[in-house]
């Protein structure tokens, strides 16, 4: 088991922290929301954020009660924790989701607001929240999984039926433990309910329409909101777009070849800097060197805790932003020279995550998953020849869903009603949300406009250093006017 190739916000930050990188975000010199109240149907009272949350210092938070089960709105209520940055009395409110599912969000408001140009920042205050089941909002828990998740982990690709069964057993125990700790919550941790929660946030801010910015999984959340509440959908940017036509189970098989393609780009990049990293003078030689390191770590884990699976986790993390490539290449280069310290620092940081209970909760209930393991084995074995580095990694992360105890929800069919057109931003070679998904989302949300940038970084607006993409987002947020037609942007420079 491992954390998956996850969304823009925390995945890049974890690797950046481990490798001593500058985070992906821009400057954070935001003015926090004042300690004040937004009065109305659901009054919001702002004060300091909960201890241990991911909210930056100086950020103010508020809580909002929402129904656990929207079919019983007067029944049990759960807590959402929100944060806000900018002027409390700005003309508009931009609600932001950083991705996931299951990622804490209350730290995102300040991050986004401080990265907006001055004219856009003056027009909006920015609100983010920990979705239901996450962090400082009523959380789901799988308890202590440290006894289940060992490091070094076995190689992801099973060499024998016994190795495959061992991982299946762990996945089943994770599902059982999650149910034991959060059985009453799990049926209600769904994207549709999170979208309904966002409408409660809109109401609390006295906004007739919800203006929204969502990254990665946040695009599914935003599109779900727009489908459920089309009359209340305002200016909406969906960045790094999830495919609305496939299940979460199916999406991992779209990711697999896209991740492998991105790895090929990374290997070619490292070959161009062979004088620095000494991994090989062409992409094939770098790939061979990488495979040799994997084999060596599988036989003799670095520090007794970083084997081939941990190296695969690190590679998957680096596929999300080329800002991470140099430091990952350097870590492997150092290891080949006999210094494992940088590699261990990075893999140790990733290992801290353990089981992501909230992400599993959303993924396993949002869609129906095959219960017959033979289906998983057949589909993964078919994917592996084209994605040998990632096919089994993706499968094992999701494997608890094969025996999840909560029933699957009926997914919202995106675009099943008339939805106002929105702005879609996408990188051509994004491995987490391949570009085919963005094109399918545009078809589902008729009249929307799609801007595609070169490159493969996951998360475009504000955080990729691409002026062309930033101009598209800024213009839309300021004016509400979409581009006249689909457009393209050049890739930002690779470090």
């Amino acid at each position: 088991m491992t954390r998956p190739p996850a969304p823009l916000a925390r995945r890049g930050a974890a690797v950046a922290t481990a490798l001593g990188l500058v985070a992906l975000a821009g400057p954070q010199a935001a003015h926090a929301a004042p300690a004040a109240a937004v009065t109305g149907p659901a009054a919001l009272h702002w004060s300091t954020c909960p201890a241990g949350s991911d909210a930056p210092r100086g950020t103010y938070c508020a809580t909002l009660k929402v129904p656990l089960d929207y079919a019983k709105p007067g029944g049990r209520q759960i807590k959402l924790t929100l944060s806000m940055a900018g002027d409390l009395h700005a003309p508009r409110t931009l609600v932001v989701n950083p991705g996931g599912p299951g990622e804490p969000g209350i730290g995102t408001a300040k991050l986004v607001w401080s990265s907006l140009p001055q004219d856009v920042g003056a027009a909006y205050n920015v609100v983010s929240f920990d979705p239901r089941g996450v962090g400082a909002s009523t959380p789901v828990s799988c308890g202590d999984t440290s006894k289940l998740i060992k490091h070094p982990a076995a190689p992801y690709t099973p060499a024998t039926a016994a190795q495959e069964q061992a991982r299946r057993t762990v996945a089943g125990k994770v599902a059982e433990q999650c149910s034991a700790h959060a059985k009453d919550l799990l049926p209600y941790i769904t994207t549709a309910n999170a979208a309904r929660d966002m409408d409660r946030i809109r109401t609390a801010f006295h906004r007739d329409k919800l203006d929204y910015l969502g990254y990665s999984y946040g695009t599914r959340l935003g599109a779900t909101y727009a489908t459920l509440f089309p009359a209340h959908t305002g200016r909406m940017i969906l960045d790094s777009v999830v495919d609305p036509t496939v299940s979460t189970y199916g999406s991992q098989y779209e990711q697999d070849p896209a991740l492998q393609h991105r790895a090929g780009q990374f290997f070619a990049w490292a070959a161009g800097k062979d004088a620095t990293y000494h991994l090989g003078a062409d992409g094939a030689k770098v790939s061979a060197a990488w495979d040799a390191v994997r084999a060596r770590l599988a036989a003799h884990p670095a520090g007794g805790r970083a084997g081939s699976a941990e190296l695969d986790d690190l590679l998957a993390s680096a596929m999300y932003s080329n800002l991470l490539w140099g430091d990952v290449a350097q870590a492997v280069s150092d290891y080949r020279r006999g210094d494992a310290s940088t590699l261990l620092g990075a893999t140790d940081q990733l290992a801290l995550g353990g089981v992501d209970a909230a992400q599993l909760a959303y993924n396993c209930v949002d869609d129906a998953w095959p219960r017959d393991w033979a289906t998983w084995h057949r589909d993964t074995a078919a994917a592996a020849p084209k994605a040998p580095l990632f096919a089994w990694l993706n499968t094992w992360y999701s494997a608890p869903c094969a025996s999840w105890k909560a029933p699957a929800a009926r997914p919202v069919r995106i675009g099943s009603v008339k939805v106002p057109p929105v702005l879609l931003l996408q990188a051509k070679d994004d491995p987490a949300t391949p570009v085919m998904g963005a094109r399918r989302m545009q078809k589902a949300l008729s009249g929307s406009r799609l801007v595609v940038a070169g490159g493969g970084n996951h998360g475009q607006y504000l955080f990729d250093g691409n002026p062309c993409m930033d101009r598209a987002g800024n213009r839309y947020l300021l004016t509400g006017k979409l581009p006249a037609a689909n457009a393209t942007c050049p890739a930002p420079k690779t470090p």
Side-chain angles (χ1 to χ4, degrees):
M1 296 291 301
T2 179
R3 294 181 61 82
L8 151 108
R10 201 198 311 172
R11 189 72 183 190
V15 184
T17 299
L19 294 170
L21 294 175
V22 177
L24 300 183
Q28 295 192 36
H31 301 292
V38 177
T39 58
L44 298 176
H45 299 279
W46 299 94
S47 62
T48 56
C49 294
S53 72
D54 74 339
R57 185 176 180 179
T59 302
Y60 283 85
C61 287
T63 59
L64 178 66
K65 296 291 186 180
V66 297
L68 173 64
D69 180 359
Y70 275 93
K72 301 175 181 178
R76 178 182 172 184
Q77 305 293 295
I78 60 174
K79 178 181 71 174
L80 294 183
T81 298
L82 324 177
S83 69
M84 183 174 67
D87 184 349
L88 184 69
H89 304 292
R92 307 182 75 98
T93 296
L94 182 69
V95 176
V96 181
N97 179 275
E103 285 297 303
I106 59 174
T108 309
K110 189 172 183 179
L111 183 66
V112 167
W113 188 84
S114 64
S115 301
L116 292 170
Q118 186 173 3
D119 52 352
V120 182
Y124 289 87
N125 53 54
V126 178
V127 173
S128 59
F129 64 106
D130 283 1
R132 60 171 53 211
V134 180
S137 296
T138 302
V140 297
S141 171
C142 292
D144 182 6
T145 59
S146 61
K147 294 180 180 179
L148 300 177
I149 314 303
K150 304 292 186 180
H151 294 282
Y156 283 118
T157 302
T160 66
Q163 288 182 0
E164 185 172 350
Q165 182 58 51
R167 279 193 174 271
R168 286 183 60 195
T169 299
V170 171
K173 289 180 179 179
V174 168
E176 291 174 3
Q177 196 161 308
C178 293
S179 179
H181 283 81
K183 184 177 182 179
D184 58 332
L185 295 175
L186 293 183
Y188 308 103
I189 306 301
T190 68
T191 297
N193 281 335
R196 296 180 180 105
D197 294 342
M198 289 204 305
D199 203 55
R200 294 295 182 101
I201 295 172
R202 176 192 63 79
T203 300
F205 275 84
H206 304 283
R207 302 299 188 186
D208 180 58
K209 294 184 183 295
L210 181 86
D211 296 327
Y212 178 80
L213 167 62
Y215 296 93
S216 193
Y217 160 80
T219 67
R220 177 174 183 170
L221 177 59
T224 299
Y225 179 89
T227 300
L228 293 176
F229 302 100
H232 292 298
T233 298
R235 300 172 189 177
M236 181 173 284
I237 298 177
L238 305 183
D239 186 323
S240 305
V241 185
V242 170
D243 189 334
T245 68
V246 299
S247 67
T248 310
Y249 175 77
S251 69
Q252 64 189 358
Y253 296 106
E254 289 186 349
Q255 284 183 340
D256 291 342
L259 283 162
Q260 192 74 33
H261 175 71
R262 186 70 166 151
Q265 293 178 329
F266 166 60
F267 294 151
W269 174 88
K273 297 182 179 295
D274 186 48
T276 301
Y277 304 117
H278 310 291
L279 296 175
D282 61 51
K285 290 179 180 178
V286 175
S287 179
W290 195 274
D291 287 344
V293 169
R294 290 177 77 229
R296 179 178 166 190
L297 288 171
H300 304 287
R305 61 188 185 274
S308 65
E310 287 74 21
L311 182 68
D312 290 347
D313 291 342
L314 185 61
L315 181 64
S317 302
M319 298 301 91
Y320 283 66
S321 173
N322 58 24
L323 293 177
L324 305 174
W325 287 4
D327 291 84
V328 171
Q330 189 65 59
V332 173
S333 178
D334 290 348
Y335 171 76
R336 279 162 50 93
R337 292 189 298 103
D339 178 5
S341 60
T342 309
L343 179 66
L344 286 170
T347 56
D348 286 349
Q349 182 72 23
L350 292 175
L352 289 175
V355 169
D356 191 329
Q359 189 164 69
L360 284 173
Y362 277 97
N363 282 345
C364 296
V365 174
D366 263 347
D367 299 295
W369 291 74
R371 294 287 177 167
D372 179 7
W373 187 256
T375 300
W376 291 69
H377 179 94
R378 182 191 67 239
D379 292 343
T380 307
K386 293 183 178 180
L389 292 170
F390 303 104
W392 283 101
L393 180 155
N394 254 349
T395 288
W396 290 124
Y397 177 75
S398 302
C401 296
S403 52
W404 202 247
K405 307 305 177 183
R410 178 180 296 178
V412 173
R413 186 163 67 86
I414 301 301
S416 57
V417 299
K418 181 63 176 176
V419 173
V422 305
L423 179 63
L424 309 173
L425 304 179
Q426 179 70 36
K428 179 176 71 69
D429 293 320
D430 187 331
T433 54
V435 67
M436 71 180 80
R439 301 193 191 285
R440 291 169 179 166
M441 183 69 83
Q442 186 182 22
K443 289 182 179 179
L445 304 181
S446 178
S448 298
R449 295 290 183 265
L450 173 61
V451 183
V452 177
N457 289 346
H458 188 58
Q460 293 294 304
Y461 182 52
L462 301 178
F463 302 122
D464 196 37
N466 191 326
C468 176
M469 295 296 265
D470 289 348
R471 283 194 298 271
N474 294 337
R475 187 184 307 114
Y476 174 63
L477 288 180
L478 274 178
T479 68
K481 295 180 180 179
L482 291 166
N486 289 347
T488 59
C489 285
K493 292 182 179 181
T494 302

